[in-house]
Amino acid sequence: METPTPLPPESLYQPCDPQQFTFETTAELENLESIIGQARAVDAIQFGIGIQHEGFNLYVLGPNGSGKFTAVTQFLHQRAPAEPIPDDWCYVNNFEQPHKPHALRLPPGQAAVFQTDMKHLVAALRTTIPAAFSSDEYQAQQRAIEEEFKERQNQALEDLRQTALQHQIALIHTPQGFAFAPLKDGEVIKPDEFMALSPEEQKSIESQVLTLQDNLQTIMEQLPQWQRETQNKLRKLNEEVAQYAIAPLLAELRQKYDAAASVLTYLETVEKDLIQHFDNFLDKDDTPLAEAMGLTTSDGGPQKNAFTRYQVNVIVDNGSAASTDAPTGAPVIYEDIPTYMNLIGRIEHISQMGTLLTDFTLIKPGALHRANGGYLIIHARKLLTEPFAYEALKQAIRARKISIQSLGQIVSMVSTVSLEPEPIPLNVKVVLMGERQLYYLLNQYDPDFVELFKVAADFENEMVRDEASNLAYARLISGLARKENLYHFDRTAVSRVIEHSARLAGDAERLTTHMQSITDLLREADYWARQQAHEVVSLADVQRALDAQQYRVGRIREEMQEMILRETILIDTDGAQVGQINGLAVFSLGRYNTFGKPSRITARVRLGKGEVIDIERQVEMGGPIHSKGVLILAAFLGARYAAERPLTLSATLVFEQSYSGVDGDSASSAELYTLLSALAELPIKQSFAVTGSVNQHGQVQAIGGVNEKIEGFFDLCRARGLTGEQGVLIPAANVKHLMLRQDVVEAVAARQFRIFPVSTIDEGIALLTGVPAGELDESGSYPADSVNGRVTARLTAFTEKQRAFATPPKQKKKKAKKDTEDKA
């Protein structure tokens, strides 16, 4: 088995050669028009936007800052101008059922015009109708009808009076009504004179009076019918006059909107209502205060005033898009606060005398109304955190219509009569943006989601690093500099940005696609360039920005290192110890604040039942992945050293001075090394730190955060003094991920620090102990002086001791006696 050799400095950092660029500064480059490194996602977005079938809405998934929003809006704004401008929508009064307003659809830009036309119509009627009813012709016809009624009434009474006179009886009109009295010589007989008449004469007069009273009663009973006939004539006259005043104005509107069938239907209902309520235009009793407050009621309903019923409430106005010379096309709406009401719309109320009132003019649109006929962009996390918003959005997409309902109605918390606006047909492409975890959760637990969001645009976390991608990065930097008014970058600065991009990707052969991090670095480098009065951003400015980032977030990292240097936390960087090793962990405390820290791992072994006890797990401080790693190394021990005999071992593993949870399997190789050291009773060099996971075959596997782990141990060694013996063992599979700091590379070049790639546990234990691991010979045994040989011998001794403890005393005496006889 060959002993691993330290990595050369060239393997620790893959620089970006500025000489590969033909430009001096990014000012010479054109902007990058495409989305960098996202060919798969771009193709999905183009497909999702282009397909028009039901359910093919998009979910754009990827980490924040990867450019999802920029990519989506860029493609939508490119496509939208070529699409037709959607129609306008407005709500108008339903005169038959005011609580169910009608929705009218008009061509783009016509809703606001129609609203203005209706205002002008009402204004014109407020002068036209009073003028028509104050005309001499109307007044003459009205008087004629009224005089006809009076004449008919008077004629009936006069005929009755003449009939009474023929019988010497007078019809007298008193304050209490009509009465009959007998006459004599043209004069009314006084009561005493009437009493002086003979009984026959009195009886004759009374009989005649009764007959006349019956005739009077008949006339009185006919008066209401005559009044109704008169009122009907007056009503008919009023309707004719009102229609005469209204018809020309409505005819103009009908001619103007003859292509809109819904408007023509609405105008018919308006005409009927105007004729029925023409007196609203004659009413002079509205007080200025009530009209100013808009609280005057009409027909017992919550109308602001008598003329509100004829208003037009514009919900969607695409007039600006229709009137501009530039092709704006379909709307692209981004809803930043996707609450239920912001999506679906709402019905507002006004307070009047302690009562909440509403009408169709208080209906307000939502994002779905504004995006109807176009595209709606929503952040999935924000949508899911708003009560009822996600369900309302799904319902609207599924039903293909927007139904405005109050939340109180939905949850049955209010039982009062409210508005039920007519639903508006919905044709919209919805684009949800969110994290991958949200997408997978919705895909797993919400069956509606699968049906409604059939297109997934998955954004990459990284891209291949080559000369083409380097040039694309340079053009990206050029475009961002122009867009954000930054100084341009020289080619050395561009190279440093690309190198940092590879570091963010955690891979020397890849570049990050997390554009937010790159953009922020450009802004910070621009700041430092301006501070130094540079004309362009140089490598030094980029490096200063990176150093400043680390310094701003470095307090906790420095405090933890200080605790190690002051030996509050015990970490050795020289000497050798049995059953003790330096493991490496990564702490991630937010953006720009990811760093490595060494941790002491110890192991103790004794005679037992084959258990490897993870103390972290026993106290519930170890995560499942860490516990899995411990079980794997226990399986490795059993398979290698106790395949055909009991594993009579009891071992304990622990992260010393660990006061928080531990998870991950990147320390499993270090834990195995520690166990082997304790079993073989061989000391491990404390000048090394170890990272890497292990499988059941003893192969060392790749881990994450390799750069941070190496730098964390390097910083501690440098603080104590580099000796040339210190170093880190990493999985060989992680060599391609190395993008270490320059001070680490320089220390390796000066042979003050070493980094060893290992592929197997045997390679690692040999480096750590200085003793060969040992290989099986022809007899199936390990060399006695090798690590594996020592481990096997120790486990064999444990087995013998366990067998001895398990033998009964009598058998022990017999065995001792036999052994003595054999010797004799």
Side-chain angles (χ1 to χ4, degrees), residues 609-821:
K609 300 179 181 179
E611 297 176 326
V612 178
I613 298 174
D614 177 14
I615 294 180
E616 309 291 338
R617 180 183 182 185
Q618 295 297 314
V619 296
E620 298 182 353
M621 291 177 62
I625 299 178
H626 177 260
S627 299
K628 175 186 175 183
V630 174
L631 293 175
I632 288 174
L633 67 88
F636 168 80
L637 285 176
R640 171 170 284 194
Y641 303 110
E644 298 179 356
R645 56 185 165 185
L647 183 62
T648 54
L649 163 73
S650 181
T652 55
L653 290 168
V654 69
F655 279 73
E656 303 288 358
Q657 293 182 287
S658 171
Y659 307 107
S660 60
V662 176
D663 201 6
D665 63 351
S666 64
S668 58
S669 65
E671 292 171 320
L672 181 53
Y673 292 140
T674 312
L675 272 177
L676 295 176
S677 169
L679 285 169
E681 296 180 311
L682 287 173
I684 290 177
K685 299 174 184 178
Q686 300 301 297
S687 57
F688 284 112
V690 177
T691 185
S693 67
V694 66
N695 62 25
Q696 294 187 100
H697 298 284
Q699 296 172 319
V700 179
Q701 303 170 140
I703 44 81
V706 63
N707 292 294
E708 290 80 5
K709 292 176 179 179
I710 294 172
E711 292 167 356
F713 189 65
F714 172 81
D715 289 340
L716 175 60
C717 295
R718 182 176 59 180
R720 286 179 171 173
L722 295 173
T723 63
E725 297 296 322
Q726 297 139 335
V728 177
L729 274 64
I730 67 170
N734 280 122
V735 173
K736 58 181 173 293
H737 301 144
L738 294 178
M739 284 293 291
L740 294 168
R741 295 194 317 246
Q742 285 303 306
D743 53 351
V744 180
V745 177
E746 292 169 1
V748 171
R751 298 185 178 181
Q752 295 179 325
F753 195 75
R754 298 175 296 171
I755 299 172
F756 289 92
V758 296
S759 300
T760 65
I761 290 296
D762 289 342
E763 292 178 357
I765 195 66
L767 281 170
L768 292 170
T769 62
V771 177
E775 298 181 2
L776 291 172
D777 57 20
E778 295 179 356
S779 63
S781 301
Y782 291 105
D785 58 347
S786 67
V787 175
N788 289 326
R790 288 171 178 262
V791 171
T792 302
R794 185 80 180 277
L795 291 174
T796 301
F798 281 159
T799 303
E800 293 297 328
K801 288 181 181 180
Q802 186 183 48
R803 183 180 297 114
F805 283 122
T807 304
K810 290 183 179 180
Q811 292 184 8
K812 289 182 179 179
K813 290 180 180 180
K814 290 181 180 180
K815 186 175 183 301
K817 183 178 180 180
K818 184 178 180 181
D819 291 342
T820 302
E821 292 175 353

Side-chain angles (χ1 to χ4, degrees), residues 6 31 63 104 114 169 189 212 284 293 295 308 331 390 414 463-464 474 547 565-566 613 647 744-745 807-808 821-822:
N31 295 349
L104 296 185
F114 183 56
I169 297 174
I189 299 175
L212 291 172
K284 306 299 182 182
M293 292 294 290
L295 301 177
T308 302
Y390 178 56
V414 294
M463 57 185 287
V464 175
D547 294 341
L565 294 174
R566 296 178 65 186
I613 298 174
L647 183 62
V744 180
V745 177
T807 304
E821 292 175 353
D822 291 343

